[in-house]
Amino acid sequence: MTASTTITGRHYRTGQGVELRLSGGRISDARDLKSGASAAMPWLAPGLVDVQSNGYGGQEFSSLELTPEKVADIAGHQASFGVTQFCPTVTTAARETIEHALRTIDAACRRWAEVDYCVAGIHLEGPYISTEEGPRGAHPLAHCRPPDWQEFEAFQSAAGGRIRIVTLAAEYAESPDFIARATASGVVTAIGHTSANSAQIAACVAAGASLSTHLGNGAHRMLRRHPNYLWDQLADDRLMASLIVDGHHLPREVVRTIVRAKTPERCILVSDLSGLAGLPPGRYASELCELEILPDGRLVIAGQDQLLAGASEPIGTGVANVMQFAELDLATAVEMASNRPAQVIGRPPNRLAIGDPADLTLFDLHPGTDSARARLGIRATIAGGRLAFGELA
């Protein structure tokens, strides 16, 4: 791309043909096309922001084998999903493994400007989560433990201050104080992988928890009808909810119910991509346990087809699916995967207006059919004014 570039597409909000001029990493001019929009034009939207992504292409972030080069490779794939910024997600593991992952991500950000731009912050999902089967998910039991503020400070130091979100269970006696400290330090605290009762959920929200991590997942297979921790989180307007809408993690009726109860303004989409995402169906050894990618794309603990262990579909699949599942328009669905998650981590919105960052994605929308999954066909992604993926017509 040149120092000044012009791109055209259909505005994701209005459907109107628009022309944007980009320079200096910003949108320097924006105008409607007098000729209107053509059906052949790609949709033009803000770059997607994925705040929960565990790895890609055979590499988890939570691994002693992680290198800065592997971080850069995973970050480089994000643009092919329409993602301009994401949160590498470090999951429950031994302290040595977590600190290695955090240091390595920080090192990659300091070494390469493109990686630093792409990494909006680190999401630490665990190790402070439930030890119970169901809520624990695929996280290793041996390393699930109560919140420890001194340990978290060491984690934040290893990360170079880049931890932006921490997910923890609400039932530990230490959780409210930990949440208050983390929130005061500028870290977003999320409730997830929890078996908490109503009073414990309420105490953590009062302490500053503001997000529910992949609401509806990381839960017991059988729950008390009411009350339970899903209803408690669903009902509290102080909590936003992240959702994995890949067609596997949540049935469409559940997605529709959560979105209608929370409202789209309080819902964000995440991919929860596993390190095995991008690999063909089959069985794979991992540092968690033996995993399996089924022919339909589900990623499960090997030997069964119900216990999920992360996702294999990018966040754009969630955009296409949530339109159908919750009967939303394109603009609302895109907001749930771009400006809404950006808001969660304190980033300003991108309205495709003059002065906004040149973080953009151009895509075709492919609705689902009986034989094909709904998806976004990404034509090009621009991050900070740089063509990061695809081609501009």
Side-chain angles (χ1 to χ4, degrees):
M1 293 177 67
T2 62
S4 179
T5 301
T6 299
I7 62 172
T8 59
R10 287 183 284 172
H11 197 292
Y12 77 108
R13 281 186 169 276
T14 65
Q16 172 67 39
V18 295
E19 178 182 88
L20 303 181
R21 183 174 294 278
L22 316 178
S23 60
R26 297 273 171 179
I27 298 173
S28 58
D29 192 24
R31 62 187 66 187
D32 291 340
L33 293 175
K34 294 181 179 180
S35 58
S38 162
M41 279 184 176
W43 290 99
L44 176 58
L48 307 184
V49 179
D50 189 355
V51 300
Q52 188 169 6
S53 182
N54 307 292
Y56 189 72
Q59 180 61 58
E60 297 277 347
F61 288 113
S62 298
S63 170
L64 290 172
E65 297 180 359
L66 188 70
T67 65
E69 290 77 12
K70 290 178 178 178
V71 173
D73 182 65
I74 297 169
H77 278 91
Q78 300 304 309
S80 68
F81 311 141
V83 171
T84 52
Q85 293 191 312
F86 82 123
C87 290
T89 301
V90 177
T91 56
T92 303
R95 179 166 177 167
E96 175 190 16
T97 301
I98 291 174
E99 290 187 341
H100 171 78
L102 297 172
R103 288 194 189 97
T104 304
I105 295 167
D106 178 50
C109 291
R110 287 185 284 106
R111 186 178 301 181
W112 294 290
E114 293 86 355
V115 177
D116 189 43
Y117 192 90
C118 188
V119 173
I122 296 171
H123 183 165
L124 183 62
E125 185 189 4
Y128 311 131
I129 63 168
S130 176
T131 59
E132 294 189 20
E133 285 290 325
R136 179 167 54 83
H139 292 238
L141 175 61
H143 301 302
C144 298
R145 50 194 187 266
D148 182 324
W149 181 250
Q150 288 187 327
E151 181 180 59
F152 179 77
E153 287 186 309
F155 288 158
Q156 187 68 287
S157 177
R162 295 181 188 273
I163 298 175
R164 193 71 190 87
I165 304 174
V166 59
T167 292
L168 71 160
E171 59 265 29
Y172 291 111
E174 299 88 345
S175 293
D177 180 66
F178 180 96
I179 288 170
R181 288 171 179 258
T183 302
S185 74
V187 174
V188 175
T189 51
I191 296 171
H193 290 283
T194 187
S195 60
N197 61 35
S198 299
Q200 291 164 335
I201 295 286
C204 287
V205 177
S210 58
L211 180 68
S212 295
T213 289
H214 51 51
L215 187 61
N217 296 115
H220 293 95
R221 296 185 73 177
M222 296 291 290
L223 269 177
R224 178 180 178 178
R225 180 178 56 185
H226 49 67
N228 64 56
Y229 48 78
L230 298 183
W231 289 117
D232 295 331
Q233 293 177 81
L234 186 62
D236 199 317
D237 289 344
R238 293 171 292 180
L239 289 172
M240 296 187 72
S242 72
L243 305 174
I244 308 169
V245 191
D246 60 356
H248 303 309
H249 278 76
L250 297 170
R252 68 172 58 217
E253 294 81 7
V254 174
V255 173
R256 183 180 303 154
T257 299
I258 292 175
V259 172
R260 288 180 177 177
K262 277 290 183 187
T263 75
E265 289 69 33
R266 294 192 188 94
C267 292
I268 66 173
L269 300 179
V270 294
S271 71
D272 197 31
L273 277 180
S274 162
L276 297 181
L279 300 183
R283 287 198 176 207
Y284 297 90
S286 81
E287 296 185 28
L288 294 174
C289 57
E290 188 176 11
L291 302 175
E292 186 173 5
I293 300 176
L294 301 178
D296 66 359
R298 275 180 295 171
L299 175 61
V300 299
I301 296 173
Q304 51 79 56
D305 62 3
Q306 293 297 316
L307 295 178
L308 298 169
S312 61
E313 291 287 337
I315 192 171
T317 297
V319 172
N321 280 338
V322 81
M323 292 177 67
Q324 295 184 328
F325 292 5
E327 299 175 342
L328 302 178
D329 60 26
L330 176 64
T332 302
V334 166
E335 289 289 298
M336 291 168 65
S338 58
N339 286 321
R340 207 71 67 209
Q343 172 191 341
V344 168
I345 57 176
R347 298 298 178 102
N350 183 351
R351 303 298 185 191
L352 307 191
I354 295 173
D356 284 345
D359 293 342
L360 307 164
T361 184
L362 294 100
F363 62 87
D364 300 306
L365 177 63
H366 302 292
T369 65
D370 291 339
S371 59
R373 182 178 305 280
R375 65 183 179 86
L376 301 189
I378 306 300
R379 290 203 199 181
T381 301
I382 298 165
R386 175 182 64 90
L387 182 61
F389 172 78
E391 297 179 356
L392 299 176

